[in-house]
Amino acid sequence: MKSIQSEIRNFVADNFLFGEDPESLQNDDSFLETGIIDSTGVLELVAFIEDQYDVQVDDDELVPENLDSINCLIDFIESKLKELA
């Protein structure tokens, strides 16, 4: 089974990096500050999370603390999965 980190990294690379080297993206890099993901991209990212992990992302969870880097996403997804367990 793929790790959450590799699934997120692959999704970001395939959908947002557009030919840039995926290895150049660090797990703590801010998607918004680096310009990797814009507001529309956040919606695509949320749709991916909801589909991939069968979780519901609430409006009040659409904040950078949850969604703005690979590490933030890993923590957020793991906490959502624990809620379901």
Side-chain angles (χ1 to χ4, degrees):
M1 184 174 144
K2 282 183 154 181
S3 71
I4 292 174
Q5 176 180 316
S6 67
E7 290 173 339
I8 293 169
R9 181 173 281 284
N10 290 341
F11 178 79
V12 170
D14 292 346
N15 292 278
F16 302 110
L17 291 183
F18 305 112
E20 291 179 44
D21 179 10
E23 296 304 313
S24 67
L25 177 63
Q26 301 301 308
N27 286 352
D28 283 326
D29 285 351
S30 165
F31 296 142
L32 296 172
E33 287 176 20
T34 57
I36 294 170
I37 296 179
D38 59 13
S39 57
T40 305
V42 169
L43 299 178
E44 291 177 50
L45 190 60
V46 167
F48 166 75
I49 292 167
E50 290 182 335
D51 290 344
Q52 185 73 20
Y53 301 102
D54 200 27
V55 297
Q56 179 68 45
V57 179
D58 299 321
D59 288 346
D60 63 349
E61 295 172 321
L62 296 174
V63 293
E65 293 80 24
N66 292 335
L67 307 171
D68 196 32
S69 71
I70 291 173
N71 283 341
C72 290
L73 283 166
I74 292 168
D75 291 343
F76 176 64
I77 292 165
E78 287 177 344
S79 72
K80 293 296 281 186
L81 292 174
K82 282 180 187 157
E83 286 175 20
L84 293 175

